[in-house]
Amino acid sequence: MGTPLDRLAARFTALLGRDSVIDDPVRLRTYECDGLTTHRASPGLVVLPETAEDVAAVVRDCVAAGVPYVARGSGTGLSGGALPRTDGVLIVTARMRRILEIDIPNQRAVVEPGVINLDVTRAVRPYGYYFAPDPSSQQICSVGGNVAENSGGAHCLKYGFTAHHVLSCEVVTPDGEIVELGEGPGYDLLGVFVGAEGTLGITTKITVRLTRVPETVQTLLAAFTSIEAGGTAVSAIIGAGVVPAAIEMMDALSIEAAEAAVGCGYPEGAAAVLIVELDGPASEVAHQFAEVERLCRDAGAFEVRIAADDAERALIWTGRKSAFAAVGRISPAYLVQDGVIPRTALPRVLARIDALSAASGVRVANVFHAGDGNLHPLVLFDDAEEGAAERAEEVSGAILDLCVEHGGSITGEHGVGVDKARYMPRMFTDTDLDTMQMVRCGFDPAGLCNPGKVFPTPRLCGEVPGVKKGPHPLVAEGKAELF
C-alpha cells in the first residue's frame, strides 16, 4: 500500500487531477523554503487546490491519515512561516487567484487567497479606491499570505496593518470544516486568526476593506549626515502631531545597495535618507508638508528633495522598495531581521546597532519603517566563509535583544515562524506561552496544522500546557532542545 504520503498522493490525484499534485523530488525543491532561504526542507507532497472545497477535502484526508500540512501562498514570507514538512503535505493556494466581487458602494472586495496584493488595487483604482496594506513585496505577495502574517508595509503608520483591512474570512479549520469568521457578537475569532501564521486554519476567501484614493499626495526625501539625526527628525515629526502616510529610513549601506541595483540617485554622501509621504485633503497636506520640511532641516538635513509629480515620487520610492533584494549586490548572503522599538528610542538603538556591528565585524544595513519604529536590519555575511553564518545569527539575535530591552518586540510584521520561535521566551513567560498554546490547541488539538511554528520547542500541540514537572521526554532523549 506504500507510505501514508503515497496513499495521499494517489487520493489527491483522483480528487484534483494529476496536474495539481507534485511528488517528483526535483519539482518539490521549488517549494523547500519561503523568502527566508536559510531554512529549507523539501516537502513530502505538494497539492495545488483551486476551490475551498478542494482545500477542505485535502485537510480532511491529511487529518484522517495523521499527516501534517502547511499552507503556502506566494512564498514571500521572511520568517519561515511556510517552511514545509518533509513528512507532510504543502497546500499551495497560488491557483486560487480570482477577485470574486468588487462592491464599491460598501467599499469592499471579496478575493481568493492567491490574489496578488497589488492586483486588488489595480482592479479598484478605476473606481477611485485602493487596497491600503502595501508590503514591499506587494507586486508578488498574496492576500492570503498577508492575512497569515498580518503584513504591514510602508503606509501602515497611517493606515494600519492587514488586520485593519479584513472584514471577514472564509476558513478551512484544522478538522476540514469550512466556516466564516467575521464581525459579530462573541469571541473575536477573526482577530485571533489574522496574524496566526497559518497555525489555526487556511483562509480560502477574504473580504477586504477598500480605501478611497486621497485628494493629493506629497513626498519628500531628506538626506542626513548621520542616521541618529534622521531618527531625531522622525521623533520631531510625530511629536508635532503630524501623522504621515509613511516615514521610511535607509542608512548608507542600504543606500549603496539600492544605487547599485536600481540607480535611485539619492544625495551623495548621505549617511541616511528619510522618505516622508503625506496624503489627504490638499489644504491639510500643504500645511503639514511645510512643517515636515522645516523639521527635517532643523534636525540637520543637508538636502531636501520634493517630488514634483508621480514620476519623481516613484523614483524616490524605487530605492526603498528594492532595498531588500538590492542588498544582494553588496553581500553574498544576508539575514532580514524584523524588530520593533518605541520611536523615541530610535537614535539610541541605531547607535547601539552601529556599535554592535563594529565590535563583531558583521556589517548591518538598516532600512525600516521609521514612523512606527519597525526596524528591518539586514545582517550581511558570506555563506562561503566558515562560521560567518553563525556570527550573523549572533548579531541578529543581539539586535532583537536590543529591541526587547528598549520596550519593543521581536517582530513587527514578518512573523515568528521558525526563525524567531527560539526568541519567544525573551519576551514571554512560560505562563504566557502556555496560554497562547492553549488557544492554538483549541483550534488544532491534533497539532497537524503548520506544526513547529511560532512556539519554541518543545511547546507543540500534544504537550499539555501547564506548569512543567520535569524535562520534556524529547529533551531527556536528546531529540529536542529547550531554549
Side-chain angles (χ1 to χ4, degrees), residues 20-82:
S20 297
V21 180
I22 299 174
D23 56 7
D24 176 69
V26 175
R27 295 179 65 197
L28 289 173
R29 290 194 63 186
T30 300
Y31 302 93
E32 67 182 1
C33 68
D34 57 14
L36 183 71
T37 59
T38 52
H39 294 269
R40 296 175 182 267
S42 191
L45 186 67
V46 170
V47 295
L48 293 99
E50 296 185 13
T51 67
E53 290 72 22
D54 290 345
V55 175
V58 169
V59 168
R60 286 195 296 269
D61 285 344
C62 286
V63 172
V67 171
Y69 60 91
V70 177
R72 174 188 168 110
S74 296
T76 59
L78 292 167
S79 64

Side-chain angles (χ1 to χ4, degrees), residues 38-323:
T38 52
H39 294 269
R40 296 175 182 267
S42 191
L45 186 67
V46 170
V47 295
L48 293 99
E50 296 185 13
T51 67
E53 290 72 22
D54 290 345
V55 175
V58 169
V59 168
R60 286 195 296 269
D61 285 344
C62 286
V63 172
V67 171
Y69 60 91
V70 177
R72 174 188 168 110
S74 296
T76 59
L78 292 167
S79 64
L83 185 73
R85 295 273 299 222
T86 58
D87 60 345
V89 175
L90 189 67
I91 302 173
V92 180
T93 61
R95 291 182 179 174
M96 302 174 69
R97 297 181 68 165
R98 293 180 299 162
I99 296 177
L100 301 171
E101 180 184 358
I102 295 175
D103 182 358
I104 295 302
N106 290 304
Q107 299 182 327
R108 66 177 194 167
V110 182
V111 305
E112 291 184 324
V115 170
I116 299 304
N117 177 293
L118 190 57
D119 285 349
V120 181
T121 290
R122 287 171 174 155
V124 302
R125 179 70 76 168
Y127 305 101
Y129 287 84
Y130 72 110
F131 184 48
D134 63 338
S136 293
S137 58
Q138 70 175 148
Q139 296 186 48
I140 52 174
C141 66
S142 65
V143 178
N146 296 163
V147 169
E149 301 300 321
N150 191 22
S151 303
H155 292 81
C156 61
L157 172 63
K158 181 175 182 178
Y159 291 102
F161 291 76
T162 298
H164 301 102
H165 301 271
V166 172
L167 299 173
S168 68
C169 283
E170 179 186 84
V171 172
V172 173
T173 66
D175 59 2
E177 182 183 0
I178 300 176
V179 302
E180 185 83 12
L181 304 181
E183 298 176 343
Y187 294 116
D188 180 16
L189 298 180
L190 179 63
V192 173
F193 183 82
V194 177
E197 305 188 33
T199 62
L200 305 183
I202 303 172
T203 185
T204 51
K205 186 167 64 178
I206 305 133
T207 301
V208 300
R209 187 191 311 277
L210 302 177
T211 302
R212 187 180 292 277
V213 173
E215 180 182 354
T216 189
V217 180
Q218 286 285 335
T219 306
L220 70 75
L221 181 143
F224 299 86
T225 56
S226 73
I227 196 168
E228 292 81 9
T232 299
V234 172
S235 294
I237 291 168
I238 301 298
V242 177
V243 182
I247 308 182
E248 300 288 299
M249 187 182 291
M250 299 171 63
D251 71 0
L253 201 51
S254 59
I255 294 169
E256 177 188 341
E259 292 290 358
V262 298
C264 48
Y266 289 167
E268 291 187 12
V273 294
L274 196 64
I275 300 171
V276 184
E277 187 161 278
L278 298 171
D279 65 15
S283 58
E284 177 183 308
V285 168
H287 171 73
Q288 292 185 336
F289 200 75
E291 180 76 354
V292 167
E293 183 179 0
R294 181 186 65 79
L295 292 170
C296 285
R297 295 189 186 280
D298 288 349
F302 67 84
E303 183 175 342
V304 175
R305 296 180 183 175
I306 299 173
D309 51 34
D310 288 343
E312 290 189 7
R313 180 177 304 112
L315 184 60
I316 286 176
W317 277 108
T318 295
R320 169 60 185 92
K321 289 283 188 177
S322 68

Side-chain angles (χ1 to χ4, degrees), residues 386-469:
E386 185 176 353
E390 290 75 14
R391 290 193 296 275
E393 284 281 3
E394 288 181 12
V395 171
S396 181
I399 291 172
L400 292 182
D401 285 339
L402 283 176
C403 293
V404 175
E405 177 187 334
H406 285 81
S409 168
I410 62 172
T411 182
E413 58 176 343
H414 292 176
V416 175
V418 294
D419 184 45
K420 295 194 182 74
R422 64 187 182 276
Y423 299 118
M424 288 285 277
R426 302 187 186 186
M427 276 194 68
F428 302 106
T429 66
D430 286 350
T431 301
D432 294 331
L433 293 171
D434 284 342
T435 301
M436 296 178 199
Q437 184 74 317
M438 289 174 72
V439 173
R440 177 172 179 173
C441 290
F443 279 78
D444 181 27
L448 297 176
C449 185
N450 205 12
K453 309 296 169 55
V454 181
F455 295 99
T457 55
R459 280 188 169 79
L460 303 173
C461 289
E463 177 191 3
V464 179
V467 178
K468 305 298 175 288
K469 303 299 183 182

